[in-house]
């Protein structure tokens, strides 16, 4: 796939979690399964792909916000690294601005922890659509249902299971997929890459039926046509159900919940499928707006008046620099492109600072290599080398439409995605 993928095939996501809940491990597994990472860097070796800085390696936490690109089933997933540690909330803030959706990881033993709550509220502030992954179900003391209850109690949300675990702790072997009503069983092996479908085990049949009912009632409630279809025929197609779950996930009407163990490689591939199925592409959310006048307040009325930048590769270019990393090749400026198309020979305006910038080389960062690209389009993310004076939060825009993008606001969900 080139950098010019159709907009609907792009997902710009973050992974957010309480420290130690498994964000790094899950990212590693995702990079592994997407085939980009050929060797797995274990956290305890301090050899993880998203860790750029020695400091992080020492602490075992990720404090930078680089973006890694991977491919899954003909889609491009850009993972924007949101720091998990409480001290780095300003960093989290910055990266949340450029996400279209997020995976929110909680632990299967402790459930929602204080820092998960902080991160959740931040994501709420930016209206980030989320799917939840209950991790570490292999650990002693793990309890899916108890962890699930903490979602409702501590976050006050309608959490909606799309899966139920089969077995727990060392006997955790798979999940019941409540959307397709089948069991997914992992076959072991060091990397757990293999799994197969089975009938739902007899001892879980009642529970699966109960939760399927809940899934249908909750998911279909976002779409009256789908609900009527269900009442008439007594069933709905998998496509209709998935469409309703996506609507609910994007609007925040409910929060889909999946589960597994990233460390033991169970549940990560279905999680990737869920990213494609339920998290929005750049065109499923309203575009970013231009910034207000300097002295204008960000009241909802004022914000609503401001122009929305079209998510359109043919429109004038507009992008936001969201992360700057210095490495041995020089300064890398990570830019989320909201509109237009930019070629490596182009010049743009830094409209925040009011000067021209010449674009030199452009890259997309994969787990183990940087891939040079010749152009980047609306909806995507790229790292630019050689920008002279562009800081985090600056807008880069075409000189024929030198907009300044809003710095804090996050694109709000568009409800109609059908
Ligand atoms: P982060 O701080 O959220 O990035 O968490 P890490 O991915 O660094 O994981 C923290 C610790 O938990 C590491 O020692 C991981 O090996 C371990 N871990 C991560 N996922 C799992 C899991 O599914 N099961 C178990 N048992 N351990 C896990």
């Amino acid at each position: 796939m080139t950098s010019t993928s159709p907009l609907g095939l792009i997902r710009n996501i973050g992974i957010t979690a309480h420290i130690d809940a498994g964000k790094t491990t899950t990212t590693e597994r995702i990079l592994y399964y997407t085939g980009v990472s050929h060797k797995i860097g274990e956290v305890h070796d301090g050899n993880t792909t998203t860790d750029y800085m020695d400091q992080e390696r020492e602490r075992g936490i990720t404090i930078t916000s680089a973006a890694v690109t991977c491919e899954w089933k003909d889609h491009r997933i850009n993972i924007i690294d949101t720091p998990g540690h409480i001290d780095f909330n300003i960093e989290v803030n910055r990266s949340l601005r450029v996400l279209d959706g997020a995976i929110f990881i909680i632990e299967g033993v402790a459930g929602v922890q204080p820092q998960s709550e902080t991160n959740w509220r931040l994501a709420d502030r930016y209206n980030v659509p989320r799917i939840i992954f209950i991790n570490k179900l292999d650990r002693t003391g793990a309890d899916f249902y108890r962890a699930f209850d903490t979602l409702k109690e501590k976050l006050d949300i309608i959490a909606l299971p799309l899966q139920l675990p089969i077995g727990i702790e060392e006997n955790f072997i798979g999940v019941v997929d409540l959307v397709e009503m089948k069991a997914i069983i992992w076959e072991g092996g060091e990397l757990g890459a293999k799994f197969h479908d089975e009938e739902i085990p007899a001892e879980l049949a009642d529970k699966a039926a109960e939760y399927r009912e809940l899934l249908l009632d909750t998911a279909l409630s976002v779409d009256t046509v789908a609900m009527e279809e269900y009442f008439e025929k007594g069933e709905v197609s998998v496509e209709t159900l998935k469409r309703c779950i996506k609507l609910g996930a994007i609007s925040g009407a409910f929060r889909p919940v999946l589960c597994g163990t990233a460390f033991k490689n169970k549940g990560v591939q279905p999680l990737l499928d869920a990213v494609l199925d339920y998290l929005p592409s750049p065109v499923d959310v309203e575009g970013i707006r231009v910034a207000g006048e300097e002295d204008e307040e960000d009241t909802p009325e004022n914000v609503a008046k401001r122009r929305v930048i079209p998510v359109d590769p043919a429109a004038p270019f507009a992008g936001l620099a969201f992360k700057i990393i210095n490495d041995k090749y020089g300064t890398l400026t990570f830019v989320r492109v909201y509109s237009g198309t930019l070629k490596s020979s182009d010049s743009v305006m830094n409209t925040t600072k009011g000067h021209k910038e010449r674009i030199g080389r452009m890259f997309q960062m994969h787990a183990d290599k940087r891939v040079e690209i010749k152009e980047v389009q609306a909806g995507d993310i790229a790292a630019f080398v050689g920008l002279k004076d562009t800081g985090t939060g600056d807008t880069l825009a075409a000189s024929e439409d030198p907009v300044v993008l809003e710095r804090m606001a996050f694109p709000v969900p568009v409800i109609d995605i059908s």
Side-chain angles (χ1 to χ4, degrees):
M1 194 185 289
T2 67
S3 70
T4 52
S5 357
L7 281 161
L9 299 182
I10 297 177
R11 299 290 179 277
N12 292 309
I13 64 159
I15 302 179
T16 173
H18 181 95
I19 188 156
D20 267 357
K23 188 185 77 170
T24 313
T25 310
T26 306
T27 308
E28 287 290 339
R29 300 311 184 218
I30 287 177
L31 295 178
Y32 173 76
Y33 289 125
T34 54
V36 173
S37 175
H38 300 297
K39 58 178 192 308
I40 269 201
E42 294 295 349
V43 173
H44 56 252
D45 294 337
N47 181 29
T48 55
T49 325
T50 45
D51 286 359
Y52 274 90
M53 295 157 65
D54 290 338
Q55 189 190 18
E56 289 173 78
R57 294 204 187 94
E58 279 163 28
R59 294 193 199 163
I61 54 174
T62 309
I63 60 168
T64 59
S65 291
V68 186
T69 293
C70 59
E71 278 161 29
W72 183 249
K73 299 187 176 171
D74 288 333
H75 289 63
R76 191 211 310 290
I77 303 176
N78 295 316
I79 303 174
I80 296 145
D81 189 21
T82 51
H85 192 269
I86 195 96
D87 291 347
F88 302 111
N89 263 342
I90 294 166
E91 284 275 325
V92 177
N93 254 307
R94 282 191 193 136
S95 20
L96 282 177
R97 272 185 252 169
V98 296
L99 309 178
D100 296 320
I103 299 172
F104 188 83
I105 300 179
I106 66 165
E107 243 236 38
V109 182
V112 172
Q113 292 161 283
Q115 195 203 332
S116 334
E117 287 186 61
T118 312
N119 286 347
W120 187 270
R121 310 271 171 241
L122 263 173
D124 271 348
R125 197 193 303 163
Y126 294 96
N127 284 322
V128 182
R130 273 149 278 176
I131 52 178
I132 296 165
F133 184 65
I134 303 184
N135 188 32
K136 299 198 182 185
L137 289 188
D138 61 311
R139 270 193 60 195
T140 308
D143 182 336
F144 171 84
Y145 298 95
R146 194 182 56 218
F148 178 77
D149 284 342
T150 66
L151 287 167
K152 294 186 286 185
E153 287 157 15
K154 302 213 167 127
L155 303 179
D156 194 24
I157 56 171
I158 299 174
L160 185 61
L162 305 188
Q163 297 174 338
L164 299 176
I166 302 176
I168 198 75
E169 301 178 342
E170 71 267 29
N171 297 319
F172 174 67
I173 54 163
V175 294
V176 172
D177 175 341
L178 295 164
V179 177
E180 299 197 22
M181 283 304 265
K182 64 183 185 190
I184 300 173
I185 306 292
W186 276 272
E187 291 167 15
E190 200 196 337
L191 294 173
K194 283 200 185 139
F195 55 89
H196 64 268
D197 295 349
E198 277 183 17
E199 298 273 302
I200 295 171
E203 67 275 17
L204 280 175
D206 286 349
K207 199 157 219 165
E210 180 195 327
Y211 276 88
R212 166 80 176 182
E213 204 56 37
L214 175 71
L215 175 59
L216 290 172
D217 282 351
T218 313
L220 300 183
S221 69
V222 300
D223 182 333
T224 43
V225 177
M227 191 59 116
E228 273 164 25
E229 184 188 325
Y230 177 54
F231 281 146
E232 246 168 55
K233 298 189 190 152
E235 60 186 42
V236 286
S237 65
V238 168
E239 289 70 40
T240 301
L241 182 53
K242 285 187 172 176
R243 187 172 53 78
C244 291
I245 296 169
K246 181 172 183 176
L247 270 168
I250 294 180
S251 67
F254 52 80
R255 308 293 184 179
V257 181
L258 296 97
C259 63
T261 154
F263 190 67
K264 300 275 171 65
N265 305 298
K266 296 172 184 165
V268 179
Q269 300 102 323
L271 180 63
L272 278 165
D273 290 342
V275 167
L276 305 192
D277 287 337
Y278 309 127
L279 289 181
S281 78
V283 278
D284 293 329
V285 287
E286 189 188 296
I288 196 166
R289 290 171 188 270
V290 300
E293 298 302 321
E294 233 165 72
D295 52 354
E296 187 179 78
E297 270 185 68
D298 278 343
T299 61
E301 296 75 35
N302 282 344
V303 169
K305 274 192 308 213
R306 295 174 197 155
R307 178 156 69 97
V308 176
I309 300 298
V311 189
D312 177 2
F317 176 82
L320 199 63
F322 66 92
K323 182 71 193 177
I324 298 184
I325 288 179
N326 290 308
D327 74 0
K328 59 184 171 185
Y329 302 103
T331 302
L332 282 174
T333 309
F334 286 81
V335 175
R336 162 79 198 250
V337 178
Y338 287 98
S339 186
T341 301
L342 195 68
K343 294 192 168 53
S344 49
S345 53
D346 289 349
S347 287
V348 288
M349 288 294 293
N350 177 325
T351 49
T352 308
K353 299 214 170 86
H355 62 74
K356 234 180 190 177
E357 284 275 20
R358 170 164 284 283
I359 304 301
R361 301 173 77 191
M362 293 192 286
F363 294 91
Q364 260 161 352
M365 315 304 286
H366 292 244
D368 52 357
K369 60 181 185 300
R370 45 164 81 190
V371 175
E372 183 156 10
I373 53 175
K374 291 291 167 209
E375 64 172 43
V376 62
Q377 288 194 341
D380 215 340
I381 280 170
F384 300 173
V385 178
L387 296 189
K388 295 276 180 294
D389 180 22
T390 292
T392 305
D394 288 0
T395 298
L396 298 174
S399 46
E400 71 260 33
D401 187 13
V403 290
V404 179
L405 299 177
E406 60 187 348
R407 289 175 64 111
M408 291 308 291
F410 181 84
V412 294
V414 173
I415 304 303
D416 179 18
I417 56 161
S418 52

